[in-house]
Amino acid sequence: MISRSDMKKNQFLFTCQSIGYRFSPQIHLSSTNSYLGKVVSVFDATMNIKMINNELLVVSLGKIRSPITLNLFPAHGITSGFKGLASYGSKLRKQDNETLLIGKPLLIDLNKSRIYDNNFEKPCYKNLKRFVKAYSRIFDTLLKTARKGCLLDPDFTTSGLLSKSLAQIQRYIQTKDNKKFVEQISNTLMEFCGKGPGYTPSGDDFMCGYCVVFNKLTDLSEATNIVLHRKKVVNSTTWMSSKLIEYYEKCIVDEQIQEMINSVSTGDPEKYMSLLCQISYRGHTSGADIGIGMTAALYTIIDRKFHTEYLSMFPCKRVDEGSL
């Protein structure tokens, strides 16, 4: 463990509280002074790092853990965020077996870090059925948590995209062949790729939410997993956004998204709605669009399983109260 007396002048120490399982082996098995990746974007509370194996590592000052995240806590009364300490191109290196270095000033003490992995509940038919009656309240929650620029309050780049795509999916629900059904869904999702505003485009966030719920509930839908065309995704959006789509498709998500999925598996619509509200504050529109995608996938599966038509009632645009 690094003490303040061991540090050089102008160095800043952070303690790693949690390390995602995706990177724990790579970091611990790499040799001393080895180069691991470089910073591709920096915000006050997060940094995104492109690792040498083309994976995305998120370094966060937040408490929400994920399999791709290092959760840090500033040591010795440091109050500043990452912006003044690292910049695009700053290198991530392993200084020794207990320490990472980002650029020159930022030290990360790994000594007390714990490994985080996802832990999903097994879904069941009886619990899914509880969301059938809750559809109206869940749709209302989506509308209340919509953000300007998200797919429920779109700008010109995504106007009409949600309603058009959901209408297509409604028709596909009648497809008897499960493999063909998933192919149709996948093709429709690709129409969202790279579309919309935001650091991660709104369409990409929708794809993330849709894929993780659909793929986690395949045991109930009796369909195969959605597997998007990797090259097409990479060519349609930014590198970082393409990696997030890949992870969500593989159900590699943070613990808050995990809890949303588990609330479906355990039959708890109230918790699902509460978490919809919580994630809606992520980014500018990212959380809202992820929630829209998750809910669209949930009611795709419900309509296919219970022969209902709730997707046809899915809200496609928020209406301001002043315009009514």
Side-chain angles (χ1 to χ4, degrees):
M1 184 175 177
I2 307 168
S3 68
R4 192 169 180 81
S5 60
D6 293 329
M7 293 169 60
K8 297 177 183 177
K9 190 176 180 180
N10 298 324
Q11 285 188 322
F12 297 87
L13 176 63
F14 292 79
T15 301
C16 181
Q17 298 178 318
S18 173
I19 178 171
Y21 83 90
R22 297 275 294 185
F23 297 105
S24 180
Q26 182 181 356
I27 290 171
H28 286 106
L29 293 175
S30 59
S31 58
T32 300
N33 295 321
S34 60
Y35 167 68
L36 298 175
K38 72 172 184 177
V39 174
V40 292
S41 59
V42 186
F43 303 94
D44 282 335
T46 58
M47 269 190 294
N48 299 303
I49 295 177
K50 186 175 183 178
M51 302 293 277
I52 55 174
N53 59 351
N54 200 41
E55 297 295 323
L56 169 65
L57 171 66
V58 179
V59 182
S60 174
L61 292 176
K63 294 182 179 180
I64 298 173
R65 300 169 298 172
S66 94
I68 64 164
T69 300
L70 287 181
N71 296 89
L72 307 186
F73 185 80
H76 306 302
I78 298 170
T79 57
S80 62
F82 293 136
K83 266 193 172 180
L85 304 179
S87 58
Y88 178 86
S90 293
K91 293 179 180 179
L92 170 66
R93 294 185 180 275
K94 180 176 178 178
Q95 181 166 290
D96 55 48
N97 287 334
E98 294 183 352
T99 316
L100 296 178
L101 182 67
I102 300 179
K104 292 183 179 179
L106 201 157
L107 290 168
I108 301 172
D109 182 2
L110 301 174
N111 190 50
K112 295 182 179 179
S113 60
R114 295 186 176 184
I115 298 172
Y116 176 80
D117 194 358
N118 285 128
N119 182 22
F120 291 102
E121 301 284 348
K122 186 172 177 60
C124 71
Y125 175 90
K126 179 183 71 175
N127 291 338
L128 181 65
K129 203 167 185 179
R130 293 177 186 172
F131 282 78
V132 173
K133 293 180 181 179
Y135 81 93
S136 179
R137 290 184 297 131
I138 290 174
F139 291 173
D140 284 346
T141 303
L142 277 183
L143 290 170
K144 290 173 183 175
T145 57
R147 299 281 180 266
K148 190 169 182 60
C150 79
L151 292 173
L152 286 177
D153 194 356
D155 69 2
F156 71 96
T157 62
T158 55
S159 182
L161 178 61
L162 183 62
S163 57
K164 171 193 165 188
S165 300
L166 292 183
Q168 290 176 348
I169 293 173
Q170 281 175 247
R171 294 195 297 271
Y172 301 153
I173 287 172
Q174 308 305 319
T175 304
K176 292 183 179 181
D177 185 292
N178 282 325
K179 185 178 179 181
K180 185 177 180 182
F181 170 60
V182 173
E183 286 175 359
Q184 291 170 325
I185 296 282
S186 300
N187 290 336
T188 295
L189 288 178
M190 283 304 303
E191 295 176 20
F192 285 88
C193 199
K195 303 284 178 60
Y199 184 66
T200 53
S202 290
D204 294 4
D205 293 324
F206 176 90
M207 292 170 73
C208 286
Y210 195 100
C211 285
V212 69
V213 168
F214 191 95
N215 286 353
K216 207 64 205 169
L217 299 182
T218 49
D219 286 348
L220 298 180
S221 65
E222 298 172 355
T224 57
N225 279 8
I226 292 171
V227 180
L228 299 170
H229 194 290
R230 190 82 203 114
K231 191 172 182 180
K232 287 182 180 178
V233 171
V234 170
N235 290 338
S236 299
T237 190
T238 63
W239 174 82
M240 184 179 144
S241 201
S242 74
K243 294 307 293 185
L244 291 173
I245 292 170
E246 176 186 339
Y247 296 145
Y248 272 73
E249 181 189 298
K250 294 177 180 177
C251 302
I252 300 168
V253 293
D254 65 72
E255 58 187 334
Q256 210 169 33
I257 301 298
Q258 172 188 283
E259 284 307 300
M260 285 185 71
I261 297 168
N262 283 346
S263 71
V264 175
S265 299
T266 57
D268 192 344
E270 298 298 331
K271 187 172 185 180
Y272 183 87
M273 288 183 279
S274 174
L275 288 164
L276 268 180
C277 294
Q278 291 178 44
I279 70 163
S280 71
Y281 292 99
R282 294 187 182 189
H284 179 57
T285 66
S286 287
D289 286 315
I290 290 171
I292 294 166
M294 293 179 75
T295 307
L298 174 61
Y299 283 93
T300 300
I301 291 169
I302 285 174
D303 281 357
R304 189 166 172 86
K305 189 71 179 176
F306 299 107
H307 308 290
T308 51
E309 296 184 356
Y310 293 120
L311 209 57
S312 66
M313 306 175 201
F314 198 93
C316 288
K317 191 169 183 181
R318 183 177 68 177
V319 178
D320 292 329
E321 290 180 5
S323 65
L324 294 176

